[in-house]
């Protein structure tokens, strides 16, 4: 089995286990065999996913006793170290999610984006701007940069309006995205961004600039995200070392 497929299955199993942790009333998870049956995956996949959750401090596996849930972790709605679907973040925060595509254009990538993706200055990308809504209110602004070199010459940019970037790339036979390297910062909303998020200009925003990678560590596309205050509440566990 290819490493990318294994990684993808473990990641999906981990996400489903996290949902199970949030929904579980008790303080422990079922056995590995029971979890494998419940999730429809192999026991080694479950074991690998549990290992990642244990390393992050979300569960404890005690030999001969079972797998116990960290109750503090179970209360986290949005984890800073995970790159999740924006609609899922909005829904978990208690809002009805929807998405609005603001525009798609072919243009030169910003210098820092081109550098992060391993392209020469001035290289072009398809840039798509989306706003994710929470109960109809703008919540998350996202701009993806997909290098034109990854897509056919006759690519129809309407594809990026109909589907998310992950599925568009998959439709063109690109390997799945495995992880992202993200820089986190605080920024003030400039005029266009303030307008897109229906905010006053100068409002402080939590911002992520992310580079998406395949399992073989090859950069694929970039994403710049801005979060409206008061909707998605990010948290993380910090292990003492």
């Amino acid at each position: 089995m290819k490493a990318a497929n294994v990684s993808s299955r473990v990641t999906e199993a981990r996400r489903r286990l996290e949902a199970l942790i949030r929904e579980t009333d008790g303080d422990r998870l079922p056995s590995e065999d029971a979890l494998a049956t419940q999730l429809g995956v192999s026991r080694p996949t479950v074991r690998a996913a549990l290992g990642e959750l244990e390393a992050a401090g979300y569960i404890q596996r005690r030999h001969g006793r079972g797998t116990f849930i960290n109750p503090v972790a179970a209360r986290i709605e949005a984890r800073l170290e995970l790159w999740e679907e924006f609609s899922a973040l909005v829904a978990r925060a208690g809002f009805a999610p929807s998405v609005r595509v603001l525009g798609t254009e072919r243009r030169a990538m910003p210098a820092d984006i081109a550098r992060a993706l391993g392209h020469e200055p001035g290289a072009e990308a398809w840039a798509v701007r989306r706003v994710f809504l929470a109960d109809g209110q703008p919540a998350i602004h996202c701009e993806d940069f997909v290098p034109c070199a990854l897509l056919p010459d006759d690519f129809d940019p309407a594809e990026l309006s109909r589907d998310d970037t992950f599925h568009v790339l998959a439709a063109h036979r690109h390997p799945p995205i495995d992880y992202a390297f993200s820089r986190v910062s605080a920024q003030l909303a400039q005029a266009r961004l303030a307008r897109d998020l229906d905010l006053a200009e100068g409002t402080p925003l939590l911002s992520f600039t992310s580079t998406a990678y395949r399992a073989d560590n090859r950069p694929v596309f970039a994403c710049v995200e801005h979060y409206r205050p008061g909707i998605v509440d990010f948290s993380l566990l910090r292990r003492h070392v």
Side-chain angles (χ1 to χ4, degrees), residues 30-49:
S31 67
E32 288 184 3
D33 284 338
L35 288 171
T37 299
Q38 183 175 344
L39 300 181
V41 298
S42 68
R43 185 173 175 179
T45 296
V46 168
R47 186 179 298 119

PDB file of all heavy atoms in Angstrom, residues 30-49:
ATOM      1  N   PRO A  30     -13.891   2.523  23.317  1.00  0.00           N
ATOM      2  CA  PRO A  30     -13.958   1.068  23.131  1.00  0.00           C
ATOM      3  C   PRO A  30     -12.588   0.498  22.771  1.00  0.00           C
ATOM      4  O   PRO A  30     -11.618   1.226  22.517  1.00  0.00           O
ATOM      5  CB  PRO A  30     -14.955   0.902  21.978  1.00  0.00           C
ATOM      6  CG  PRO A  30     -15.735   2.171  21.943  1.00  0.00           C
ATOM      7  CD  PRO A  30     -14.793   3.244  22.389  1.00  0.00           C
ATOM      8  N   SER A  31     -12.500  -0.824  22.714  1.00  0.00           N
ATOM      9  CA  SER A  31     -11.253  -1.496  22.365  1.00  0.00           C
ATOM     10  C   SER A  31     -10.860  -1.190  20.915  1.00  0.00           C
ATOM     11  O   SER A  31     -11.676  -0.727  20.116  1.00  0.00           O
ATOM     12  CB  SER A  31     -11.407  -3.006  22.529  1.00  0.00           C
ATOM     13  OG  SER A  31     -12.323  -3.506  21.561  1.00  0.00           O
ATOM     14  N   GLU A  32      -9.592  -1.455  20.576  1.00  0.00           N
ATOM     15  CA  GLU A  32      -9.133  -1.239  19.205  1.00  0.00           C
ATOM     16  C   GLU A  32      -9.952  -2.048  18.216  1.00  0.00           C
ATOM     17  O   GLU A  32     -10.301  -1.553  17.131  1.00  0.00           O
ATOM     18  CB  GLU A  32      -7.647  -1.599  19.088  1.00  0.00           C
ATOM     19  CG  GLU A  32      -6.712  -0.603  19.752  1.00  0.00           C
ATOM     20  CD  GLU A  32      -5.253  -0.953  19.514  1.00  0.00           C
ATOM     21  OE1 GLU A  32      -4.981  -1.945  18.787  1.00  0.00           O
ATOM     22  OE2 GLU A  32      -4.372  -0.241  20.038  1.00  0.00           O
ATOM     23  N   ASP A  33     -10.263  -3.306  18.566  1.00  0.00           N
ATOM     24  CA  ASP A  33     -11.059  -4.141  17.666  1.00  0.00           C
ATOM     25  C   ASP A  33     -12.438  -3.535  17.440  1.00  0.00           C
ATOM     26  O   ASP A  33     -12.934  -3.487  16.305  1.00  0.00           O
ATOM     27  CB  ASP A  33     -11.198  -5.550  18.242  1.00  0.00           C
ATOM     28  CG  ASP A  33      -9.930  -6.375  18.088  1.00  0.00           C
ATOM     29  OD1 ASP A  33      -9.119  -6.035  17.196  1.00  0.00           O
ATOM     30  OD2 ASP A  33      -9.743  -7.337  18.844  1.00  0.00           O
ATOM     31  N   ALA A  34     -13.074  -3.066  18.520  1.00  0.00           N
ATOM     32  CA  ALA A  34     -14.410  -2.483  18.397  1.00  0.00           C
ATOM     33  C   ALA A  34     -14.370  -1.188  17.587  1.00  0.00           C
ATOM     34  O   ALA A  34     -15.262  -0.927  16.771  1.00  0.00           O
ATOM     35  CB  ALA A  34     -14.997  -2.217  19.791  1.00  0.00           C
ATOM     36  N   LEU A  35     -13.319  -0.383  17.802  1.00  0.00           N
ATOM     37  CA  LEU A  35     -13.190   0.865  17.043  1.00  0.00           C
ATOM     38  C   LEU A  35     -12.965   0.582  15.564  1.00  0.00           C
ATOM     39  O   LEU A  35     -13.517   1.275  14.702  1.00  0.00           O
ATOM     40  CB  LEU A  35     -12.042   1.699  17.612  1.00  0.00           C
ATOM     41  CG  LEU A  35     -12.282   2.364  18.964  1.00  0.00           C
ATOM     42  CD1 LEU A  35     -10.990   2.970  19.494  1.00  0.00           C
ATOM     43  CD2 LEU A  35     -13.366   3.428  18.864  1.00  0.00           C
ATOM     44  N   ALA A  36     -12.153  -0.439  15.255  1.00  0.00           N
ATOM     45  CA  ALA A  36     -11.892  -0.788  13.862  1.00  0.00           C
ATOM     46  C   ALA A  36     -13.194  -1.195  13.162  1.00  0.00           C
ATOM     47  O   ALA A  36     -13.461  -0.788  12.028  1.00  0.00           O
ATOM     48  CB  ALA A  36     -10.866  -1.913  13.781  1.00  0.00           C
ATOM     49  N   THR A  37     -14.012  -1.962  13.866  1.00  0.00           N
ATOM     50  CA  THR A  37     -15.301  -2.375  13.299  1.00  0.00           C
ATOM     51  C   THR A  37     -16.229  -1.181  13.135  1.00  0.00           C
ATOM     52  O   THR A  37     -16.888  -1.014  12.101  1.00  0.00           O
ATOM     53  CB  THR A  37     -15.968  -3.425  14.211  1.00  0.00           C
ATOM     54  OG1 THR A  37     -15.115  -4.577  14.304  1.00  0.00           O
ATOM     55  CG2 THR A  37     -17.317  -3.841  13.651  1.00  0.00           C
ATOM     56  N   GLN A  38     -16.256  -0.310  14.144  1.00  0.00           N
ATOM     57  CA  GLN A  38     -17.143   0.857  14.107  1.00  0.00           C
ATOM     58  C   GLN A  38     -16.763   1.819  12.991  1.00  0.00           C
ATOM     59  O   GLN A  38     -17.635   2.383  12.313  1.00  0.00           O
ATOM     60  CB  GLN A  38     -17.100   1.575  15.461  1.00  0.00           C
ATOM     61  CG  GLN A  38     -18.035   2.765  15.577  1.00  0.00           C
ATOM     62  CD  GLN A  38     -18.029   3.351  16.983  1.00  0.00           C
ATOM     63  OE1 GLN A  38     -17.572   2.721  17.929  1.00  0.00           O
ATOM     64  NE2 GLN A  38     -18.540   4.559  17.119  1.00  0.00           N
ATOM     65  N   LEU A  39     -15.460   2.008  12.772  1.00  0.00           N
ATOM     66  CA  LEU A  39     -14.990   2.952  11.754  1.00  0.00           C
ATOM     67  C   LEU A  39     -14.842   2.311  10.386  1.00  0.00           C
ATOM     68  O   LEU A  39     -14.663   3.020   9.388  1.00  0.00           O
ATOM     69  CB  LEU A  39     -13.648   3.554  12.185  1.00  0.00           C
ATOM     70  CG  LEU A  39     -13.619   4.332  13.504  1.00  0.00           C
ATOM     71  CD1 LEU A  39     -12.221   4.873  13.760  1.00  0.00           C
ATOM     72  CD2 LEU A  39     -14.636   5.448  13.515  1.00  0.00           C
ATOM     73  N   GLY A  40     -14.872   0.975  10.320  1.00  0.00           N
ATOM     74  CA  GLY A  40     -14.718   0.293   9.040  1.00  0.00           C
ATOM     75  C   GLY A  40     -13.309   0.353   8.491  1.00  0.00           C
ATOM     76  O   GLY A  40     -13.109   0.434   7.271  1.00  0.00           O
ATOM     77  N   VAL A  41     -12.310   0.329   9.401  1.00  0.00           N
ATOM     78  CA  VAL A  41     -10.907   0.372   8.986  1.00  0.00           C
ATOM     79  C   VAL A  41     -10.163  -0.768   9.674  1.00  0.00           C
ATOM     80  O   VAL A  41     -10.716  -1.474  10.518  1.00  0.00           O
ATOM     81  CB  VAL A  41     -10.254   1.729   9.339  1.00  0.00           C
ATOM     82  CG1 VAL A  41     -10.952   2.865   8.614  1.00  0.00           C
ATOM     83  CG2 VAL A  41     -10.268   1.969  10.848  1.00  0.00           C
ATOM     84  N   SER A  42      -8.909  -0.941   9.324  1.00  0.00           N
ATOM     85  CA  SER A  42      -8.115  -2.014   9.915  1.00  0.00           C
ATOM     86  C   SER A  42      -7.674  -1.638  11.330  1.00  0.00           C
ATOM     87  O   SER A  42      -7.624  -0.459  11.700  1.00  0.00           O
ATOM     88  CB  SER A  42      -6.886  -2.305   9.059  1.00  0.00           C
ATOM     89  OG  SER A  42      -5.986  -1.207   9.102  1.00  0.00           O
ATOM     90  N   ARG A  43      -7.333  -2.665  12.100  1.00  0.00           N
ATOM     91  CA  ARG A  43      -6.846  -2.405  13.461  1.00  0.00           C
ATOM     92  C   ARG A  43      -5.523  -1.621  13.463  1.00  0.00           C
ATOM     93  O   ARG A  43      -5.355  -0.717  14.286  1.00  0.00           O
ATOM     94  CB  ARG A  43      -6.684  -3.728  14.217  1.00  0.00           C
ATOM     95  CG  ARG A  43      -6.290  -3.530  15.674  1.00  0.00           C
ATOM     96  CD  ARG A  43      -6.292  -4.825  16.439  1.00  0.00           C
ATOM     97  NE  ARG A  43      -5.808  -4.620  17.804  1.00  0.00           N
ATOM     98  CZ  ARG A  43      -5.714  -5.593  18.707  1.00  0.00           C
ATOM     99  NH1 ARG A  43      -6.097  -6.820  18.391  1.00  0.00           N
ATOM    100  NH2 ARG A  43      -5.249  -5.330  19.906  1.00  0.00           N
ATOM    101  N   PRO A  44      -4.559  -1.927  12.544  1.00  0.00           N
ATOM    102  CA  PRO A  44      -3.343  -1.105  12.514  1.00  0.00           C
ATOM    103  C   PRO A  44      -3.626   0.377  12.242  1.00  0.00           C
ATOM    104  O   PRO A  44      -2.944   1.253  12.783  1.00  0.00           O
ATOM    105  CB  PRO A  44      -2.524  -1.733  11.378  1.00  0.00           C
ATOM    106  CG  PRO A  44      -2.974  -3.154  11.348  1.00  0.00           C
ATOM    107  CD  PRO A  44      -4.441  -3.111  11.655  1.00  0.00           C
ATOM    108  N   THR A  45      -4.647   0.680  11.415  1.00  0.00           N
ATOM    109  CA  THR A  45      -5.006   2.083  11.157  1.00  0.00           C
ATOM    110  C   THR A  45      -5.521   2.735  12.426  1.00  0.00           C
ATOM    111  O   THR A  45      -5.144   3.868  12.762  1.00  0.00           O
ATOM    112  CB  THR A  45      -6.075   2.166  10.048  1.00  0.00           C
ATOM    113  OG1 THR A  45      -5.519   1.663   8.828  1.00  0.00           O
ATOM    114  CG2 THR A  45      -6.526   3.608   9.828  1.00  0.00           C
ATOM    115  N   VAL A  46      -6.381   2.020  13.164  1.00  0.00           N
ATOM    116  CA  VAL A  46      -6.891   2.546  14.436  1.00  0.00           C
ATOM    117  C   VAL A  46      -5.743   2.751  15.409  1.00  0.00           C
ATOM    118  O   VAL A  46      -5.662   3.791  16.090  1.00  0.00           O
ATOM    119  CB  VAL A  46      -7.945   1.594  15.036  1.00  0.00           C
ATOM    120  CG1 VAL A  46      -8.252   1.968  16.489  1.00  0.00           C
ATOM    121  CG2 VAL A  46      -9.221   1.636  14.219  1.00  0.00           C
ATOM    122  N   ARG A  47      -4.838   1.789  15.494  1.00  0.00           N
ATOM    123  CA  ARG A  47      -3.725   1.892  16.437  1.00  0.00           C
ATOM    124  C   ARG A  47      -2.849   3.097  16.115  1.00  0.00           C
ATOM    125  O   ARG A  47      -2.417   3.827  17.013  1.00  0.00           O
ATOM    126  CB  ARG A  47      -2.900   0.608  16.405  1.00  0.00           C
ATOM    127  CG  ARG A  47      -1.800   0.582  17.473  1.00  0.00           C
ATOM    128  CD  ARG A  47      -1.013  -0.715  17.437  1.00  0.00           C
ATOM    129  NE  ARG A  47      -1.883  -1.850  17.726  1.00  0.00           N
ATOM    130  CZ  ARG A  47      -2.094  -2.857  16.871  1.00  0.00           C
ATOM    131  NH1 ARG A  47      -1.513  -2.846  15.682  1.00  0.00           N
ATOM    132  NH2 ARG A  47      -2.882  -3.850  17.204  1.00  0.00           N
ATOM    133  N   ALA A  48      -2.592   3.334  14.816  1.00  0.00           N
ATOM    134  CA  ALA A  48      -1.770   4.482  14.426  1.00  0.00           C
ATOM    135  C   ALA A  48      -2.473   5.796  14.767  1.00  0.00           C
ATOM    136  O   ALA A  48      -1.845   6.741  15.248  1.00  0.00           O
ATOM    137  CB  ALA A  48      -1.459   4.420  12.936  1.00  0.00           C
ATOM    138  N   ALA A  49      -3.789   5.858  14.521  1.00  0.00           N
ATOM    139  CA  ALA A  49      -4.542   7.076  14.828  1.00  0.00           C
ATOM    140  C   ALA A  49      -4.576   7.333  16.334  1.00  0.00           C
ATOM    141  O   ALA A  49      -4.416   8.473  16.786  1.00  0.00           O
ATOM    142  CB  ALA A  49      -5.962   6.960  14.274  1.00  0.00           C
TER     143      ALA A  49
END
